[in-house]
Amino acid sequence: MSTKKVITRVAPSPTGFLHLGTLRTALLNYLYAKANNGTFILRIADTDQERGNEDLLQYIFDRKGEFNLNHDVTFRQSSRLERYREIAVQIGEVQEDGNIAIDMGDYKMNILRSNGYPLYNFASTLDDYDYGVTHIIRGVDHISNAPKQKVLWDKINTALDATIPFPELIHAGLLLDGKTKKKISKRDGSGLISDYSDYSNDAILNWIFKMGWSSKEGTFDKQYPTLNLEQMIEVFNGGNINQSNTGVHADKLVWLDKQFKKLESRKSVVV
């Protein structure tokens, strides 16, 4: 367990329906925070003016609530535009096109558009900085963002005369279509949670948990064929985040769903 206050986050965007990858990221960050008596933040990445949708935002809140991944803090990036500009002008320079960019050595990287909206790496980094995020669990497809985010973090520290440490990054393997081996993506409509509406939420959580985490104990699956959310929190620190890509196979979900339906049936008999 970390000696400092653990703060994690998940940052869905209201540009598409809830996706298996987003739900798994939310679950892993939630479990890490709760297993270490920490704080779990829900950040709404709603700065995409073209693709953003308020109805989808409400959908995200509703579905996340159904899985009981309750956040301790929530905010929308669109509410922080003044803060983004305040820091952008301190660490970057205004360009001829009105954008603000920072010097990356051999090139310049835009961080704030002329319309006042931040670009992804800058907004994400400043949010993590301001909210004290200590650990970030995300997909391996974000590894390439880390160097840019570290440069931004250091520039913010310099501007604010601070020495806040960069968050610990933990990268989980991608979720791949079990048949095509291609990455599942909400942009192409694959891996949407709505595709699994016939299955219980408990079964879905167990399914994606095992696709993102593994125990150090060889007998774990026999001891815990199914887990509720409280049990996931209890065992979480005794395992590892899977860094290898994982194929999504529905047969395991079918089996888990049957187990949970059996449990519910037994409970109803007892009652």
Side-chain angles (χ1 to χ4, degrees):
M1 182 184 296
S2 174
T3 57
K4 58 185 175 182
K5 172 77 171 181
V6 168
I7 301 177
T8 67
R9 50 79 165 170
V10 66
S13 59
T15 57
F17 292 101
L18 188 60
H19 177 264
L20 281 178
T22 304
L23 183 61
R24 186 187 65 163
T25 298
L27 175 63
L28 294 176
N29 280 281
Y30 171 86
L31 293 175
Y32 193 96
K34 299 310 171 183
N36 293 284
N37 298 312
T39 297
F40 176 56
I41 296 174
L42 173 63
R43 179 176 79 209
I44 303 299
D46 62 344
T47 58
D48 189 331
Q49 295 174 287
E50 294 181 0
R51 298 172 58 230
N53 185 310
E54 285 295 318
D55 291 337
L56 288 174
L57 176 60
Q58 187 58 50
Y59 170 83
I60 290 172
F61 277 107
D62 292 344
R63 291 312 309 265
K64 183 175 170 295
E66 291 172 11
F67 287 99
N68 296 315
L69 303 180
N70 300 317
H71 52 272
D72 303 298
V73 177
T74 185
F75 68 93
R76 299 176 62 163
Q77 288 185 326
S78 60
S79 70
R80 286 172 43 82
L81 298 184
E82 290 185 9
R83 175 61 172 171
Y84 297 136
R85 181 163 187 82
E86 174 192 353
I87 298 300
V89 297
Q90 294 184 56
I91 67 173
E93 296 181 352
V94 179
Q95 307 300 297
E96 291 183 0
D97 58 6
N99 294 332
I100 296 178
I102 61 170
D103 188 354
M104 296 293 288
D106 55 350
Y107 70 97
K108 291 186 179 294
M109 181 175 75
N110 285 335
I111 60 173
L112 194 77
R113 298 184 179 91
S114 59
N115 63 5
Y117 278 78
L119 280 84
Y120 167 75
N121 278 313
F122 174 56
S124 178
T125 302
L126 184 56
D127 290 342
D128 291 337
Y129 189 96
D130 284 348
Y131 281 82
V133 171
T134 60
H135 297 76
I136 301 170
I137 302 174
R138 59 188 184 179
V140 295
D141 51 338
H142 283 277
I143 289 177
S144 61
N145 291 322
K148 298 174 184 177
Q149 292 167 345
K150 180 61 167 62
V151 169
L152 284 162
W153 190 280
D154 291 342
K155 287 182 178 293
I156 296 169
N157 259 336
T158 299
L160 300 181
D161 192 23
T163 57
I164 296 174
F166 190 64
E168 179 178 340
L169 304 178
I170 305 170
H171 292 99
L174 301 179
L175 297 181
L176 307 179
D177 184 286
K179 294 180 179 179
T180 66
K181 305 303 179 184
K182 294 181 179 180
K183 175 189 172 184
I184 59 172
S185 169
K186 69 178 181 181
R187 291 203 178 193
D188 62 20
S190 60
L192 299 180
I193 296 300
S194 56
D195 293 339
Y196 303 97
S197 58
D198 291 337
Y199 303 98
S200 72
N201 289 341
D202 287 327
I204 293 173
L205 282 182
N206 271 251
W207 187 42
I208 62 173
F209 178 56
K210 295 293 183 69
M211 287 193 286
W213 178 95
S214 60
S215 173
K216 298 175 183 177
E217 300 178 10
T219 61
F220 182 83
D221 286 338
K222 289 185 178 180
Q223 186 178 358
Y224 294 100
T226 62
L227 302 94
N228 57 39
L229 203 52
E230 290 73 21
Q231 289 173 318
M232 291 183 195
I233 294 171
E234 291 173 4
V235 304
F236 191 82
N237 284 332
N240 299 303
I241 302 297
N242 296 333
Q243 296 183 342
S244 299
N245 295 341
T246 304
V248 175
H249 299 280
D251 53 345
K252 182 62 175 178
L253 175 59
V254 171
W255 183 86
L256 285 165
D257 191 59
K258 289 180 179 178
Q259 305 313 304
F260 277 103
K261 286 177 179 176
K262 287 179 183 178
L263 289 173
E264 288 300 318
S265 178
R266 290 170 190 164
K267 289 179 182 179
S268 64
V269 170
V270 172
V271 174

